Amino acid sequence: MEKVILVFVKLKKDIDRSAFEAFEEKVAKYNITLSSHKSFKVLRTIGVLGNETLESPYDYIEIIDIVSLESMYQTVEKDDKIKAFIEEFQQFAEESQFLITEYLVSVASLP
C-alpha cells in the first residue's frame, strides 16, 4: 500500500538555509528517478497559523510519496547515493522526525 513519509526538519543554528535548500533540490531530483518513490516535495515553514509571530518548531517539512515501505527500504539498502544523502542530511539537521503515514482522505478543488 502506498505510504507517505513526512519529515520534520529543524536546522542546526549555523546552517545556511540556501545551502540546505540546494541540497534538498539535489535530493528531490534524484529521488524521483527511483522506482520506490512517486514524488518528493519540500516545504519551508514561514509561521504558525493563528500566531504568525511564534516561531515554527521546524524549519522544513518533506513530503515523500513512496510505493511501499518495503520498496523504499530495499532502495535505501542498495543505493550508495541515498546513503550519502542521509549522511549529508545529518550535517544540516539539529533535529528531525520521520513519520510514516497513509492517505485517509484526499480531495482537490476543481479547475
Side-chain angles (χ1 to χ4, degrees):
M1 174 180 271
E2 290 180 26
K3 301 289 186 219
V4 179
I5 308 299
L6 298 178
V7 184
F8 296 86
V9 182
K10 180 72 174 175
L11 296 180
K12 294 177 182 176
K13 291 184 195 286
D14 61 342
I15 295 298
D16 175 21
R17 285 179 173 260
S18 62
F20 180 72
E21 291 175 12
F23 166 75
E24 287 285 37
E25 180 82 21
K26 180 175 60 172
V27 171
K29 287 180 178 176
Y30 183 73
N31 278 357
I32 61 168
T33 68
L34 302 172
S35 62
S36 59
H37 290 63
K38 295 177 68 177
S39 70
F40 189 98
K41 299 174 187 165
V42 180
L43 308 173
R44 179 187 316 123
T45 62
I46 57 173
V48 176
L49 187 62
N51 189 351
E52 289 78 13
T53 60
L54 187 63
E55 185 177 322
S56 172
Y58 296 100
D59 298 306
Y60 294 88
I61 301 170
E62 296 177 358
I63 304 171
I64 310 166
D65 282 283
I66 59 173
V67 174
S68 70
L69 284 173
E70 296 77 20
S71 66
M72 184 196 69
Y73 288 140
Q74 288 173 0
T75 297
V76 170
E77 186 178 303
K78 294 185 277 186
D79 194 307
D80 289 336
K81 195 163 189 172
I82 292 290
K83 291 176 186 175
F85 285 151
I86 291 169
E87 287 181 27
E88 191 173 353
F89 176 84
Q90 292 170 347
Q91 295 173 7
F92 287 108
E94 176 181 313
E95 178 185 340
S96 58
Q97 295 286 320
F98 291 72
L99 304 179
I100 303 165
T101 69
E102 58 190 7
Y103 286 105
L104 179 63
V105 176
S106 181
V107 297
S109 63
L110 298 175

